Amino acid sequence: MARDTTALSRRDVLKTSGAAGVAGLAGLAGCTGGGGGGDSEYPALGNYPVEGDEVVFGFNVPQSGSYSQEGADELRGYNLAKEHLNNGGGWVDSWEDLSGDGVLGKTVASVEGDTATDPDTARQSATRMINRDNAIMITGGSSSATAIAMQKLCQEEKVQFMACLTHSNDTTGPECVRYSFREMFNAYMTGQALAPVLAEEYGEDLNFYQLYADYSWGQTQQDSMNQFFTEVGGWSQIESVPTPLGTSDYSSYLSDVPRDETDVLVLNHYGLDAANSLPQAIEAGLDQDMEIVVPLYNRLMAEAAAGSIDGIFGTADWSWQLEDSASQSFTEAFRSEYDKVPSYAARLAYTQALQYAAACERAETFYPPEVIRALEGYEYDNAGLGAETMRACDHQAQRDVLVVRGLPSSDQTESRLLEVVNQTSRDQLGYGCNEGPAAECELGEYGDE
C-alpha cells in the first residue's frame, strides 16, 4: 500500500526534526509507555520506541525466484511463531522468557515481502517495511546475498535483522554487522562435519570436481569444501566451476566433468538449482563413474529430486526426525497447523522470531542495543539441536550440524526422504573468534555509543 501522506509517521518526524525533536519524542515515549517497561530510559533509535498496542515484525522471504519454495515454508514458520507469541502454544509454552500474550504487552503483527531471491529487491522490500510499516525487526533470507543486503540495511537503519536461511561464511564473517544474528550453521561448518564422513565412506587421496552457484553462498561453499576435503581426506581438487544462480540446464557444465579423472563430483547448488543439477547429473550417467555429493540439503529440494537422491550425502540444518522434546513439539505444532511436517527453513524462521521476542523480554525493552546485548553470548538448549551459544564476537550460533543421506526410492515416504547419518557435535565444529570467518568480522556499533 502507499505511504500515508495525510500525516507524518513518527519515523518521518525523526528524520526531519533534529536532535531537539528526538529528545522530545524520547520523552514523549516515556509518557506514553511506548515499547514496554523501562523504555523511558532510552532515546529514540531506528523504529524505537514502539507506539500503540502492536509491534510489527517484517518477514522478507523469496516468494518468487529460485528459492521460492523455501520462502513459502519460512512464512509458515514465521506465522506459526506469531500465532504462538500472541496466543501461546509450541515452544512459547516452554520458553521461560515468553508469555503467549504478545511481546512486552504488545500484540505481534507482521508484514510480508518478496525478495525475489535478488539482493536489490530484498533491500527495497526491507526498506518499505522499515519506513512505511515501522517494523521493529526484519527477518528472512533464503539466499545469502539477500540476507547480507538486508543486514547491511538494518545496520544503517538501526533496525534488528534476524537472519533465517543463509549459509555463506560471509554472513557472520567479513559481512557481519552488529544488528544481525544467525542461527543457521555456515559453509565452514558443513566442511568440518561432512569431510570426515566422506573420507571414511569413500576413502582418502581422491580427486574431486566442483560446480558451484556463482554468488556469496556458492563461492564460500566451494572454498570450504576445497579446504576440508583437502585437509581431512587428502583429496585433490581438479577444478571448481561457477554456474549462474537460476540455471535450469546444467548439461554443458556436466559434460565438461572429466569422467576418467574424477572420483567425487560436488554440486554446490541449492533449492531448485540443486533439484535441476542433481537429476541431470544422474541422467548423464555420472553416478556410474564417480560419487556425487550435494553439501547442503533441504527437504523441498529432496522432494523435487526424490528419484535422484539415493545415497547422496550432504548436511542439513535440522530434521523433524530428531527425537528431542523441542523438535517433536515443534513438529507436532507445525503439522497440526499445516498438515505436513516442517522443513528446516520453517524451524529457522520459527526459532529466529521467538529468539528475538525472548531477547526483548529479557531486556525489558525493544530498544535495539539492549536487545542485541541480551542475545550476545546467550546460551540456550530449547531450539531442537541441544546446547547452543549465540556468540558475542560474530553473532554466529555455535551448534550441532546434521550429516544426512538420501534414501532409496523404496524407503522414501512423503515426509521422510533423508536419513540422519550423524549429528556432529558443536564441540567438533566451529572456530575461535580470531580464526576462520570470524577473523574477518567487525561487528560495528550498537548505536548508543
Side-chain angles (χ1 to χ4, degrees):
M1 65 180 180
R3 178 189 273 268
D4 184 357
T5 57
T6 62
L8 287 174
S9 72
R10 182 188 156 278
R11 188 173 184 82
D12 292 325
V13 174
L14 289 180
K15 287 180 175 178
T16 59
S17 60
V22 169
L25 282 169
L28 180 60
C31 295
T32 61
D39 277 12
S40 60
E41 302 174 16
Y42 305 111
L45 183 68
N47 277 334
Y48 171 89
V50 178
E51 298 174 348
D53 298 329
E54 293 185 339
V55 59
V56 178
F57 291 1
F59 304 149
N60 205 23
V61 305
Q63 299 186 55
S64 59
S66 298
Y67 298 162
S68 58
Q69 287 184 309
E70 293 284 2
D73 230 32
E74 287 176 46
L75 284 178
R76 294 184 186 101
Y78 285 134
N79 286 315
L80 187 63
K82 181 176 70 171
E83 168 66 22
H84 290 169
L85 287 170
N86 288 330
N87 300 300
W91 291 351
V92 171
D93 293 345
S94 59
W95 285 25
E96 62 180 15
D97 297 319
L98 299 174
S99 66
D101 188 26
V103 180
L104 294 175
K106 295 183 183 292
T107 300
V108 178
S110 64
V111 291
E112 297 177 2
D114 180 11
T115 68
T117 323
D118 175 76
D120 290 338
T121 304
R123 185 179 175 99
Q124 291 165 9
S125 179
T127 298
R128 287 192 297 272
M129 292 177 173
I130 294 169
N131 291 336
R132 180 191 67 188
D133 303 307
N134 294 319
I136 192 67
M137 181 271 287
I138 306 293
T139 180
S142 282
S143 148
S144 291
T146 62
I148 289 169
M150 286 188 280
Q151 72 179 22
K152 283 183 178 179
L153 171 70
C154 287
Q155 180 72 28
E156 295 164 5
E157 297 286 349
K158 299 298 180 282
V159 171
Q160 194 157 333
F161 181 68
M162 299 296 286
C164 187
L165 209 165
T166 169
H167 188 247
S168 170
N169 293 334
D170 290 350
T171 308
T172 48
E175 302 291 349
C176 74
V177 298
R178 181 71 63 184
Y179 273 68
S180 179
F181 290 84
R182 174 163 62 178
E183 161 75 10
M184 190 179 188
F185 66 112
N186 59 22
Y188 194 96
M189 297 177 195
T190 279
Q192 290 177 311
L194 194 55
V197 173
L198 295 184
E200 182 176 352
E201 186 77 15
Y202 299 145
E204 299 183 349
D205 301 322
L206 302 179
N207 294 325
F208 66 102
Y209 187 102
Q210 298 200 76
L211 299 180
Y212 67 92
D214 193 14
Y215 73 102
S216 177
W217 169 69
Q219 292 157 7
T220 66
Q221 174 69 39
Q222 63 87 27
D223 185 63
S224 292
M225 294 304 96
N226 187 21
Q227 176 181 345
F228 289 103
F229 288 174
T230 301
E231 290 180 3
V232 175
W235 294 10
S236 299
Q237 178 169 276
I238 298 172
E239 193 170 357
S240 186
V241 179
T243 62
L245 179 65
T247 297
S248 58
D249 183 358
Y250 288 90
S251 58
S252 63
Y253 298 101
L254 295 169
S255 65
D256 288 338
V257 178
R259 293 178 183 243
D260 56 342
E261 299 176 43
T262 305
D263 299 306
V264 181
L265 172 62
V266 185
L267 298 176
N268 296 292
H269 298 134
Y270 190 75
L272 290 179
D273 286 3
N276 285 322
S277 68
L278 176 58
Q280 289 171 27
I282 301 295
E283 185 177 346
L286 291 176
D287 60 321
Q288 302 300 311
D289 298 317
M290 63 196 72
E291 305 293 345
I292 301 176
V293 175
V294 179
L296 183 62
Y297 258 115
N298 68 325
R299 187 172 59 82
L300 298 173
M301 167 265 170
E303 288 176 350
S308 304
I309 63 174
D310 181 10
I312 304 295
F313 280 93
T315 59
D317 174 81
W318 172 84
S319 171
W320 69 270
Q321 299 171 55
L322 297 178
E323 297 180 353
D324 62 283
S325 59
S327 294
Q328 289 306 300
S329 69
F330 172 58
T331 298
E332 180 181 349
F334 191 94
R335 183 151 38 191
S336 176
E337 184 72 17
Y338 300 112
D339 196 29
K340 60 188 296 185
V341 297
S343 67
Y344 70 65
R347 184 207 76 98
L348 282 166
Y350 185 82
T351 301
Q352 289 297 73
L354 263 58
Q355 286 285 20
Y356 173 76
C360 292
E361 294 285 2
R362 291 195 301 275
E364 299 183 337
T365 180
F366 290 111
Y367 183 60
E370 292 305 308
V371 178
I372 290 169
R373 292 182 177 106
L375 280 166
E376 290 179 328
Y378 182 60
E379 302 272 353
Y380 54 103
D381 61 0
N382 51 11
L385 289 166
E388 300 186 53
T389 302
M390 185 57 70
R391 262 194 343 192
C393 68
D394 59 354
H395 295 187
Q396 171 65 57
Q398 297 296 291
R399 32 71 60 89
D400 292 1
V401 171
L402 306 184
V403 176
V404 298
R405 178 170 51 193
L407 288 168
S409 297
S410 59
D411 294 339
Q412 294 177 10
T413 67
E414 182 179 356
S415 57
R416 187 169 183 266
L417 299 164
L418 305 169
E419 62 175 335
V420 178
V421 175
N422 189 48
Q423 182 166 345
T424 307
S425 167
R426 67 174 185 166
D427 296 334
Q428 299 173 264
L429 302 169
Y431 40 88
C433 288
N434 60 348
E435 300 172 338
E440 301 179 80
C441 173
E442 296 183 8
L443 288 170
E445 298 180 348
Y446 290 92
D448 62 349
E449 288 84 356

